[in-house]
Amino acid sequence: MVAPRVLIVDDEPNILLPLEFLMRREGYEVRCAHDGEEGWQAVQQWRPDLVLLDVMMPRRDGFEVCGLIRSDPALASVRVVMLTAKGRDSDVARGLALGADAYLTKPFATADLVQRVRELLETPR
């Protein structure tokens, strides 16, 4: 069986590295990107099954990357989980309106993230 592909896009190494470790431990094939532009390029080239996407990043923010993913029909099956310290209702609403499948506010419980990722990867889009 082929492991699902998870792309992690976050400019903070203290977030990126633990998420990478966690997703690998769960059995996913993982790649990382360090800003929004690098993340967008990785999505187009690698075609992950799911993207863990920070909102506040240099070059392109997570909202813009999510919008780009959702505007490309070839990427329709890619799941997007936005992760951010911006937890205002308006930010959550904006992320979901752009097509994010889930929006988790930092700090989040590891178990909650793992459960959401599993659920999204097991549910056909």
Side-chain angles (χ1 to χ4, degrees):
M1 186 169 126
V2 176
R5 299 167 135 196
V6 175
L7 174 66
I8 304 166
V9 186
D10 201 305
D11 62 321
E12 292 291 330
N14 62 338
I15 301 290
L16 190 68
L17 295 174
L19 285 176
E20 180 181 13
F21 175 79
L22 177 65
M23 292 295 110
R24 286 189 193 283
R25 190 182 74 199
E26 291 298 312
Y28 303 125
E29 184 179 346
V30 179
R31 289 197 185 169
C32 298
H34 301 92
D35 65 41
E37 180 60 30
E38 188 180 321
W40 171 233
Q41 296 301 320
V43 167
Q44 293 175 89
Q45 294 166 6
W46 192 49
R47 305 291 171 131
D49 298 297
L50 184 138
V51 179
L52 296 177
L53 183 60
D54 184 30
V55 170
M56 297 185 298
M57 293 182 293
R59 302 205 305 160
R60 290 186 190 266
D61 68 21
F63 292 127
E64 184 178 357
V65 174
C66 183
L68 288 167
I69 292 169
R70 290 296 171 243
S71 68
D72 186 338
L75 301 172
S77 66
V78 175
R79 300 300 200 145
V80 176
V81 177
M82 299 189 88
L83 305 174
T84 186
K86 294 180 76 167
R88 296 185 316 227
D89 289 345
S90 60
D91 294 323
V92 175
R94 181 176 177 199
L96 296 174
L98 284 167
D101 297 285
Y103 195 109
L104 298 177
T105 304
K106 298 175 188 174
F108 48 81
T110 302
D112 292 342
L113 175 62
V114 168
Q115 180 180 346
R116 286 299 288 143
V117 167
R118 267 193 211 133
E119 289 171 355
L120 289 169
L121 289 172
E122 291 171 0
T123 306
R125 188 164 181 76

